[in-house]
Amino acid sequence: MRYFIGISVLIHVIVIMAFTESPFVIYNDDPPLQITLIAAKGDARQDELATSKAVDAALERISATDIPAPVRPAVKPAVKSRPRQDNNNLPLAPEHKTPETAVARKSPKEAALTDSENPAVTGPAGAREQDRQKGVIASNSTGENRAQTLRKLLYTALEPHFYYPRLARRNGWQGLVQLGMTIKDSGQLSDIHLLKTSGYPLLDNAALNSIGKIRYLPDAVRWIKEHHFDMVVHVKYQLSDF
Amino acid sequence: MRFSVIAGIVFIASLTPSLSNAVEYDDAIIVTASRLDKDIQSQPATITVINAEDIQNSTASNLPDLLSLEAGINTRHFFGGNSARPAVDIRGFGLTGTQNTLILLDGRRLNDIDLSPVDFNAIPLHNIARIEITRGSGGVLYGDGAVGGTINIITKTPGKTGTTGNVAVFTGSYENYGINANVSHVQGAFSFNIAASSEVSDAYRDNNEYREDVLQGDFRYTRDDGEIYLKFGADQQHLNFPGVRSILTATGINQYKTDRRGATTPRDYAERDGYYTTAGVSRYLGDSTELIVDVGYRNKMTESFFDDYVTDAFDVRNYRDVYLNTWSITPRINSELNLLGVPGTLNIGIDYYDSDYEQERSLIKSTSNTPVHRVNIDQERISVYARHLFRPSPRTRINVGARWQRIATDARDSYDATAPGAAFGAEKPDNNEQQHLQAYELGIAHDVTNETTVYANVNQAFRVASIDEIYSEFAAAFVYLNPQTSRGIDIGVKFRNQHTKIQAAAYYMSLKNELHFDITQNSGFGANVNLDPTKRYGFELTADHQLNKQLGLRFNYALTRSRFREGILAGNDVPAVPGHTASLTALWQIMPRLDLSATANYVGSRFLDNDQTNDFYKKVPAMTTVDVKLTGKWASWKVSGLVNNLFDKKYYDYGIRSTSVQRYNVYPLPERNALVTISKGF
């Protein structure tokens, strides 16, 4: 009898625990997979940022000075709740080289509206759009198309250089790496840096090394003439069963 | 450190560009590679992988119990109900299962050169990343003793940046208490993982007290082009031996019924202290070749005492100190290679093991400074092996491999006729021996569809006599028996899709000179002998099916036939091998944070040990046991309650008959018992 009472108590404790919502539960859902292109001032790049929190803080500093109504950047994990289709509309947000040109940072949806559906915006974004209309960027392209085109250029160039680190595969390591980089108006890739670790240094280094293999993106020149772009690239390493 | 069969193959497979590619998906770059398990499953061999999640979900609370649920694996408990020293046997080798099943820890041999069973409790379950079970010969990659199968236990390596860990405490029936913990830390390229555990138990039987403390560590410097590592481990174990329960038909004595928890040998015990360390470097030479060089050292000190319970006429008390040191160097190369335009992967390597064994036999501990016998046996093993896996088409893999091994043994004995307890003894003359052995394998696997693979392999494996089979207290000299050789064939099919995994295999093994201890020899004192030719054949089935997100099922079945082929015993079954084994496991996620797992394990009847004639009136009866575990999770906390032998069956899995009288002895196993574990991750 004592035995069964003990088991009964145990089962009840376990069941009660299972029903009770923990105040400490953190749901670590992966953020949606995305590549986000963000235009930023040349002197405001986040060279040493290793976490998205640091990126946020730095970008907040920029917004305080450069943007009347700053919007959180897409690197913030909170964007995970956005529907995936929103991410597909991420714009190219080129930056004018003049110091007074503002940083174009906005939520993807808002940015998409700005670039492709509502060109008559005022302020920095409007100035940017004016530049665009002047032919800085291909004249008949929508923001979405431009984003897709440049992204495809980048992916096509990068694809042969990505690999799954052998030791990571052997150990079953998977994760999402967020990298920051700049495409200069000359097509040169620079300032490739880690924004958010996957948790595994080996995967982080593999992503950095892969992107580091590309020094120049010649076809990008005609798309980003007289601009440079700070980009966030998401690289997901995942092992498949099939 | 030696790689496992699988690790080696998969590692090379990972070098294949086609297995790793970047694809565009939505707006992210996704870099994919096939999971290790998939490549393991694609080999032309019967292989099962148990990963850390499987272990966590299992109802098994120790390694032997976990293994015994797998198809074709049988365990026998000689030393009580705890998991300290059971014998694990793949494909029906009976009493010599331990010597025919090679156990590897991170690819390095755990089987000692004596007859002592592997101490599975020195490998904490919570520190295991995965277990790779290869049934059938592993002779090419591992050499001696990989006859029935190979079990490679891979410990966890530190991975994620930062500090993570887990602490668990548990308590259970029979005054069982314990704690285990592990911590991992990664800082850039440097990382370490340390695991420790401590357990005490009174155990089910009298005089079966058990204590064990274990520490394991793994320090690494990892880069994409290789790593440097240092592994170490230490364990200390105390175990009391309860002995047998006797059943004598003629006199009506049946200790199994009247006092099944009692002890026959209330003063017998063993103490064991062991430690090991392995240092190595792995380096990628270009994109397609990896060079691995590592050096290992393992030390084991065992103290044991077997009291005299038999007669007052002769004092046969026996106290032993055993010291065993083993050095090993195992350089190897894994390389992607195109031979005549056919892509493939090549494993080549050298294994060098040097063991020094010393045994001192005394009357009792207090006279151990003046041992009666001091036996020294040095054994040097050197092997060269190569294996090439061709891929003549994307769907076909052909495997060819061979190993050559030389074993040199040098044995010495010194006898002190004046030492306490010396009587009727004599010094054995020095003796040495060299043996040359070969193993080979040839296999083919073909993907009939994307989900189905058929495979076949033929192989040759070998086993040489262990030190305890060379040295016998009752023999006048060291005896070198002929090496045991086996030739086998495996044919199987594997099916795998998103919800279902099925593997079915049939095998046949023909053995010559099987090494065995025959109690009828040497005037009833017994002797190690080469048996008449034997054979093994059987069928193994493993099926996993995920019915839905909440419920998964796993079924294992094995038909095992282990028989004498020739001689006066031709047609008889080899004792202690069950003809049928099966297990069914269900894992039910009752709620997101509440899991229930239940396992029913069936082991068929088998002849008692020593019943080669198959004519004893009693067999070890068939038995089905059921274990149930309920696990609740709450944030980083986890609580589980486990009930073993839910229906309170009274059973044993090992017994031995007398050839002179109608008597047999058994080792009773625990009735219904429980274990509660609370753990906290950080």
Side-chain angles (χ1 to χ4, degrees), chain B residues 307-338:
Chain B
D307 209 346
D308 176 11
Y309 309 100
V310 180
T311 172
D312 294 330
F314 302 106
D315 192 349
V316 294
R317 286 178 291 177
N318 192 333
Y319 174 85
R320 297 178 200 173
D321 281 315
V322 172
Y323 309 93
L324 177 60
N325 302 304
T326 302
W327 281 97
S328 57
I329 305 172
T330 55
R332 58 202 179 276
I333 291 174
N334 302 319
S335 178
E336 186 183 356
L337 190 67
N338 276 2

Coordinates of all heavy atoms in Angstrom, one line a residue, chain B residues 307-338:
Chain B
D307 N 35.5 -16.0 -0.8 CA 35.7 -16.8 0.5 C 35.5 -18.3 0.2 O 34.9 -18.7 -0.8 CB 34.7 -16.2 1.6 CG 35.3 -16.4 2.9 OD1 36.3 -17.2 3.1 OD2 34.8 -15.8 3.9
D308 N 35.8 -19.0 1.2 CA 35.7 -20.5 1.2 C 34.4 -20.9 1.8 O 34.2 -20.8 3.0 CB 36.9 -21.1 1.9 CG 36.8 -22.6 1.9 OD1 35.9 -23.2 1.2 OD2 37.6 -23.2 2.6
Y309 N 33.4 -21.3 1.0 CA 32.1 -21.7 1.6 C 31.9 -23.2 1.4 O 30.8 -23.7 1.7 CB 31.0 -20.9 0.9 CG 31.2 -19.5 0.9 CD1 31.7 -18.8 -0.2 CD2 30.9 -18.7 2.0 CE1 31.9 -17.5 -0.3 CE2 31.1 -17.3 2.0 CZ 31.6 -16.7 0.9 OH 31.8 -15.4 0.9
V310 N 32.9 -23.9 0.9 CA 32.6 -25.2 0.4 C 33.0 -26.3 1.4 O 32.2 -27.1 1.8 CB 33.3 -25.5 -1.0 CG1 33.0 -26.9 -1.4 CG2 32.9 -24.5 -2.0
T311 N 34.1 -26.2 1.9 CA 34.6 -27.3 2.7 C 35.7 -26.8 3.7 O 36.3 -25.8 3.5 CB 35.2 -28.4 1.9 OG1 35.9 -29.4 2.7 CG2 36.3 -27.9 0.9
D312 N 35.8 -27.5 4.8 CA 36.8 -27.2 5.7 C 38.1 -28.0 5.5 O 39.2 -27.8 6.0 CB 36.4 -27.5 7.2 CG 35.2 -26.6 7.6 OD1 35.2 -25.5 7.1 OD2 34.4 -27.0 8.3
A313 N 38.0 -29.0 4.6 CA 39.1 -29.8 4.3 C 40.3 -29.1 3.6 O 41.4 -29.2 3.9 CB 38.7 -31.0 3.4
F314 N 39.9 -28.2 2.7 CA 40.9 -27.4 2.0 C 40.5 -25.9 2.1 O 39.3 -25.6 1.9 CB 41.0 -27.8 0.5 CG 41.3 -29.2 0.3 CD1 40.3 -30.1 -0.1 CD2 42.6 -29.7 0.5 CE1 40.6 -31.5 -0.3 CE2 42.9 -31.1 0.3 CZ 41.9 -31.9 -0.1
D315 N 41.5 -25.1 2.3 CA 41.2 -23.7 2.4 C 41.3 -23.1 1.0 O 42.5 -23.0 0.4 CB 42.2 -23.0 3.3 CG 41.8 -21.6 3.6 OD1 40.9 -21.1 3.0 OD2 42.4 -21.0 4.5
V316 N 40.2 -22.8 0.3 CA 40.3 -22.4 -1.0 C 39.9 -20.9 -1.1 O 39.4 -20.4 -2.1 CB 39.4 -23.2 -2.0 CG1 39.9 -24.6 -2.1 CG2 37.9 -23.2 -1.4
R317 N 40.1 -20.2 0.0 CA 39.9 -18.7 -0.1 C 40.8 -18.1 -1.2 O 41.9 -18.6 -1.4 CB 40.1 -18.1 1.2 CG 39.0 -18.3 2.2 CD 39.3 -17.7 3.6 NE 40.5 -18.4 4.2 CZ 41.0 -18.0 5.4 NH1 40.5 -17.0 6.0 NH2 42.0 -18.7 5.9
N318 N 40.3 -17.1 -1.8 CA 41.1 -16.6 -2.9 C 41.0 -15.1 -3.0 O 39.9 -14.5 -3.1 CB 40.5 -17.2 -4.2 CG 41.4 -16.9 -5.4 OD1 42.1 -16.0 -5.4 ND2 41.3 -17.8 -6.4
Y319 N 42.1 -14.4 -2.8 CA 42.2 -12.9 -2.8 C 43.0 -12.6 -4.0 O 44.1 -13.1 -4.2 CB 42.7 -12.4 -1.6 CG 43.0 -10.9 -1.6 CD1 41.9 -10.0 -1.3 CD2 44.2 -10.3 -2.0 CE1 42.1 -8.6 -1.4 CE2 44.4 -9.0 -2.1 CZ 43.3 -8.1 -1.8 OH 43.5 -6.8 -1.9
R320 N 42.5 -11.7 -4.9 CA 43.3 -11.3 -6.1 C 43.4 -9.8 -6.2 O 42.5 -9.1 -6.0 CB 42.5 -11.8 -7.3 CG 42.4 -13.3 -7.4 CD 41.6 -13.7 -8.7 NE 41.1 -15.0 -8.5 CZ 40.2 -15.5 -9.4 NH1 39.8 -14.8 -10.5 NH2 39.8 -16.7 -9.2
D321 N 44.6 -9.5 -6.6 CA 44.9 -8.1 -7.1 C 45.2 -8.2 -8.6 O 46.1 -9.0 -9.0 CB 46.1 -7.5 -6.3 CG 45.7 -7.0 -5.0 OD1 44.6 -6.3 -4.8 OD2 46.4 -7.2 -4.0
V322 N 44.6 -7.4 -9.3 CA 44.8 -7.3 -10.8 C 45.2 -5.9 -11.2 O 44.5 -5.0 -10.8 CB 43.6 -7.9 -11.6 CG1 43.8 -7.7 -13.1 CG2 43.3 -9.3 -11.3
Y323 N 46.3 -5.8 -11.9 CA 46.7 -4.5 -12.5 C 46.7 -4.6 -14.0 O 47.4 -5.5 -14.5 CB 48.0 -4.1 -11.9 CG 48.1 -4.1 -10.4 CD1 48.6 -5.3 -9.8 CD2 47.7 -3.1 -9.6 CE1 48.7 -5.4 -8.4 CE2 47.8 -3.1 -8.3 CZ 48.3 -4.3 -7.7 OH 48.4 -4.4 -6.3
L324 N 46.1 -3.7 -14.7 CA 46.1 -3.8 -16.1 C 46.3 -2.4 -16.7 O 45.6 -1.5 -16.4 CB 44.8 -4.3 -16.6 CG 44.6 -4.4 -18.2 CD1 45.6 -5.3 -18.8 CD2 43.2 -4.9 -18.5
N325 N 47.4 -2.3 -17.4 CA 47.7 -1.0 -18.1 C 47.7 -1.2 -19.6 O 48.3 -2.2 -20.1 CB 49.1 -0.5 -17.7 CG 49.2 -0.3 -16.2 OD1 48.5 0.4 -15.6 ND2 50.2 -1.0 -15.6
T326 N 47.1 -0.3 -20.3 CA 47.0 -0.5 -21.7 C 47.4 0.9 -22.4 O 46.7 1.9 -22.1 CB 45.6 -0.9 -22.2 OG1 45.3 -2.2 -21.6 CG2 45.6 -1.1 -23.7
W327 N 48.4 0.8 -23.3 CA 48.7 2.0 -24.1 C 48.2 1.7 -25.5 O 48.2 0.6 -26.0 CB 50.2 2.2 -24.2 CG 50.8 2.9 -23.0 CD1 51.4 2.3 -21.9 CD2 50.9 4.3 -22.8 NE1 51.9 3.2 -21.0 CE2 51.6 4.4 -21.5 CE3 50.5 5.4 -23.5 CZ2 51.8 5.7 -21.0 CZ3 50.7 6.6 -23.0 CH2 51.4 6.8 -21.7
S328 N 47.7 2.8 -26.1 CA 47.3 2.6 -27.5 C 47.6 3.8 -28.4 O 47.6 4.9 -27.9 CB 45.8 2.3 -27.6 OG 45.1 3.4 -26.9
I329 N 48.0 3.5 -29.6 CA 48.2 4.5 -30.6 C 47.5 4.1 -31.8 O 47.6 3.0 -32.3 CB 49.7 4.7 -30.9 CG1 50.5 4.9 -29.6 CG2 50.0 5.8 -31.9 CD1 52.0 4.9 -29.9
T330 N 46.6 5.0 -32.3 CA 45.8 4.6 -33.4 C 45.7 5.7 -34.5 O 44.7 6.4 -34.7 CB 44.3 4.3 -32.9 OG1 43.9 5.5 -32.2 CG2 44.3 3.1 -32.0
P331 N 46.8 5.9 -35.3 CA 46.7 6.8 -36.4 C 45.9 6.3 -37.5 O 45.8 5.1 -37.8 CB 48.2 6.9 -36.8 CG 48.8 5.7 -36.4 CD 48.1 5.2 -35.2
R332 N 45.2 7.2 -38.2 CA 44.4 6.7 -39.3 C 44.1 7.9 -40.3 O 44.2 9.1 -39.9 CB 43.0 6.1 -38.8 CG 42.2 7.1 -38.0 CD 41.3 6.3 -37.1 NE 40.5 7.2 -36.3 CZ 40.9 7.7 -35.1 NH1 42.1 7.4 -34.6 NH2 40.1 8.4 -34.3
I333 N 43.7 7.5 -41.5 CA 43.4 8.5 -42.5 C 42.1 8.2 -43.1 O 41.8 7.0 -43.4 CB 44.5 8.6 -43.6 CG1 45.8 9.1 -43.0 CG2 44.0 9.4 -44.8 CD1 46.9 9.1 -44.0
N334 N 41.2 9.2 -43.2 CA 39.9 9.0 -43.9 C 40.0 10.0 -45.1 O 40.2 11.2 -44.9 CB 38.8 9.4 -43.0 CG 38.8 8.6 -41.7 OD1 39.0 7.4 -41.7 ND2 38.5 9.3 -40.6
S335 N 39.8 9.4 -46.2 CA 40.0 10.2 -47.4 C 39.0 10.0 -48.5 O 38.6 8.8 -48.7 CB 41.4 9.9 -48.0 OG 41.6 10.7 -49.2
E336 N 38.5 11.1 -49.1 CA 37.7 10.9 -50.3 C 38.6 10.7 -51.5 O 39.6 11.3 -51.7 CB 36.9 12.2 -50.5 CG 35.9 12.2 -51.6 CD 35.2 13.5 -51.8 OE1 35.5 14.4 -51.0 OE2 34.4 13.6 -52.7
L337 N 38.2 9.7 -52.2 CA 39.2 9.2 -53.2 C 38.4 8.8 -54.5 O 37.4 8.1 -54.4 CB 39.9 8.0 -52.7 CG 41.1 7.5 -53.5 CD1 42.2 8.5 -53.4 CD2 41.6 6.2 -52.8
N338 N 38.9 9.3 -55.6 CA 38.3 8.8 -56.9 C 39.3 7.8 -57.5 O 40.4 8.1 -57.8 CB 38.2 10.0 -57.9 CG 36.9 10.7 -57.7 OD1 36.1 10.4 -56.8 ND2 36.6 11.7 -58.5

